[in-house]
Amino acid sequence: MQLLTKLSPKKYDVVIVGGGIVGLASAYAAVKKGLSVALVERESQNKDASVRNFGFVTVSGQQRGEHWQRAMHTRDVWADIAPKAGIDVEHSGLHMLMQRPEAMEVAEAFLQTEMGESCRLLTQSEIVENVPYLKKGLGVLYSPHELRVESKTAIGKLANWLNQVYGVDFYNKTTVHSIELPMVHTSRGTLHAEHCVVCPGTDLHSLYPVTLAKAKAKLCTLNMMRVMPKKAFKLNAAVMSDLSFARYDGFAQLPEARGLINLLDDIQSAERKAGVHLIVVQSADGSLIIGDSHDYSDRELPFRDVRIDDLITNEFDQMMNIGESDITQHWLGVYPSGDDVVFKASPEKGVVVGTITSGTGASTGFAFGEELIHLVLESK
Ligand SMILES: Cc1cc2nc3c(=O)[nH]c(=O)nc-3n(C[C@H](O)[C@H](O)[C@H](O)COP(=O)(O)OP(=O)(O)OC[C@H]3O[C@@H](n4cnc5c(N)ncnc54)[C@H](O)[C@@H]3O)c2cc1C
């Protein structure tokens, strides 16, 4: 990708601040409308939530209504552009192993909703054939909607594709300090733009802090790890557990989830307090990303509590039957968590700020990017 260090004197239709998935998705929405776009990223490339995540484009489990629709649309955009941008879809779909009758009750209620269309319970023979690596449970809910991309490379490939095919100018290692349209003041000088879309991720203090404070967001820190099984096997779809039914709004907000939530609060209280549930996805080299936990604070937490990792690996061992494995990587990730699932606002004419406040940007980012571009064009 051609990275620009000298700022162009041209006036862009839109300058985007932030090279995470939300900034890139906004850039894509803008170029699809025929607008000229520059994207400014303060790092040499994104190193935050957009590359630390599972790359799990999740539909089933997203909050019912508008957010679930965002996820359906975002999944379609990923499916369309991934091959064009050279991004591999590592696997598709989701298997949720149910180990308690209360979880079965949630799954059955979910299947009765519009969100459950095309989802189903696997038959016994399908369980034996499709998910031999899952431990014995009461049933497996299958959702066909999901995709998994390798975020740590997908974000760079997406940026490269936007640059090469759509002519988006990328100014990396460049920080935006302030915006006074048509001027966007950066650490390298001034860019000129008709509109500006700020996608700062967790940085809620640098640009438009008063507006972003309305998101009432805390920072949520997650423990993540990569595991390499000693014996190779192929994961046929992402995996989640009973704890996930109790965490993800699309399940947990169903009235039928109350029994499961109460039960888990009782029998897995440590996991529930640490916000632990299980997601397992696989990379091309056979390794698995497993997580996660949720620790809410006013600031980014620098220290990893290994006891939380133990809760995650314990849940993994309760769910998966893959023999011995080695943990090869640990990392923390952070996202803003607010009152609502997303936050968007126009602090002044021609400027919009937007951040996803529910840890679902890989799943809903493309739909959200379209909303931000729509809002900024309206705000003039
Ligand atoms: C551990 C973890 C696992 C997750 N798993 C999933 C998952 O599997 N599926 C899912 O849907 N979601 C997941 N999420 C959530 C998802 O990753 C986020 O919602 C999404 O990445 C947010 O994207 P973003 O672009 O808003 O933020 P970020 O990725 O934080 O990017 C913001 C960018 O803006 C730049 N920036 C900020 N201010 C400025 C400035 N003034 N000038 C220039 N640049 C600036 C930053 O450098 C950064 O690159 C996960 C999150 C975490 C932390």
Side-chain angles (χ1 to χ4, degrees):
M1 177 169 74
Q2 197 197 354
L3 285 173
L4 301 176
T5 46
K6 197 165 175 306
L7 302 197
S8 166
K10 89 182 205 192
K11 187 173 180 185
Y12 293 96
D13 292 324
V14 191
V15 165
I16 312 266
V17 184
I21 187 60
V22 174
L24 294 169
S26 302
Y28 181 53
V31 294
K32 290 289 274 183
K33 285 191 175 294
L35 304 174
S36 60
V37 177
L39 188 147
V40 187
E41 165 56 49
R42 66 182 165 204
E43 303 294 336
S44 54
Q45 58 179 47
N46 177 277
K47 61 171 182 49
D48 298 318
S50 298
V51 296
R52 295 179 190 216
N53 62 28
F54 294 92
F56 180 33
V57 181
T58 322
V59 174
S60 291
Q62 298 296 352
Q63 191 177 78
R64 193 172 190 174
E66 191 183 17
H67 209 51
W68 184 84
Q69 295 287 355
R70 283 189 184 110
M72 283 293 268
H73 178 58
T74 296
R75 187 279 318 267
D76 288 346
V77 176
W78 274 115
D80 175 41
I81 68 172
K84 297 175 188 165
I87 297 168
D88 290 330
V89 171
E90 306 291 342
H91 49 74
S92 307
L94 164 67
H95 288 129
M96 296 189 71
L97 174 66
M98 291 163 288
Q99 292 178 311
R100 299 170 182 93
E102 291 80 356
M104 287 293 285
E105 214 180 303
V106 185
E108 273 153 16
F110 173 79
L111 289 171
Q112 299 306 312
T113 71
E114 71 290 352
M115 301 180 289
E117 203 186 326
S118 329
C119 301
R120 62 192 174 81
L121 298 178
L122 294 190
T123 63
Q124 272 312 315
S125 60
E126 283 173 329
I127 291 175
V128 173
E129 202 170 313
N130 300 352
V131 283
Y133 43 76
L134 290 186
K135 286 205 168 149
K136 197 164 165 45
L138 298 180
V140 174
L141 175 67
Y142 171 67
S143 164
H145 304 304
E146 287 67 22
L147 298 178
R148 201 258 149 178
V149 296
E150 191 69 66
S151 291
K152 65 181 180 184
T153 51
I155 290 297
K157 286 179 180 177
L158 191 52
N160 188 46
W161 180 67
L162 289 170
N163 171 248
Q164 300 292 315
V165 176
Y166 290 101
V168 175
D169 283 345
F170 280 83
Y171 298 98
N172 288 14
K173 297 188 193 168
T174 307
T175 302
V176 173
H177 291 313
S178 64
I179 298 155
E180 295 170 292
L181 288 181
M183 291 173 293
V184 177
H185 302 295
T186 83
S187 50
R188 288 181 194 274
T190 301
L191 282 167
H192 295 86
E194 196 76 29
H195 306 90
C196 188
V197 177
V198 181
C199 310
T202 53
D203 185 346
L204 309 176
H205 305 294
S206 300
L207 297 169
Y208 302 105
V210 175
T211 302
L212 282 162
K214 293 181 188 148
K216 297 200 174 75
K218 288 197 165 241
L219 294 186
C220 176
T221 303
L222 292 74
N223 286 36
M224 304 279 287
M225 59 196 105
R226 189 178 285 278
V227 164
M228 181 58 92
K230 292 216 160 134
K231 197 165 153 228
F233 83 103
K234 186 172 169 329
L235 193 76
N236 290 324
V239 169
M240 295 206 291
S241 73
D242 283 359
L243 284 164
S244 313
F245 281 111
R247 250 212 93 76
Y248 271 61
D249 287 350
F251 304 117
Q253 289 179 352
L254 295 171
E256 292 81 356
R258 210 52 259 167
L260 178 68
I261 291 170
N262 289 341
L263 178 76
L264 294 175
D265 282 348
D266 194 22
I267 62 172
Q268 286 195 281
S269 61
E271 287 83 353
R272 290 285 294 155
K273 278 188 195 127
V276 165
H277 76 128
L278 191 73
I279 297 179
V280 183
V281 296
Q282 192 168 43
S283 295
D285 66 358
S287 65
L288 306 170
I289 297 181
I290 71 170
D292 54 19
S293 56
H294 298 81
D295 193 346
Y296 300 89
S297 171
D298 291 333
R299 65 204 159 82
E300 187 167 339
L301 303 173
F303 305 111
R304 184 172 63 86
D305 184 340
V306 291
R307 290 166 300 181
I308 304 290
D309 294 335
D310 292 343
L311 293 176
I312 297 169
T313 49
N314 187 47
E315 181 73 1
F316 177 74
D317 291 339
Q318 299 299 318
M319 298 274 303
M320 308 274 301
N321 211 351
I322 61 161
E324 282 181 47
S325 57
D326 293 323
I327 298 174
T328 57
Q329 282 180 333
H330 287 283
W331 66 97
L332 294 173
V334 185
Y335 66 72
S337 173
D339 279 357
D340 205 350
V341 284
V342 299
F343 177 80
K344 59 185 171 180
S346 175
E348 55 185 303
K349 271 188 169 183
V351 180
V352 156
V353 294
T355 190
I356 292 182
T357 43
S358 51
T360 58
S363 311
T364 59
F366 284 110
F368 189 54
E370 288 174 18
E371 291 170 34
L372 296 181
I373 293 302
H374 179 76
L375 189 59
V376 82
L377 295 179
E378 268 195 339
S379 81
K380 259 283 185 187

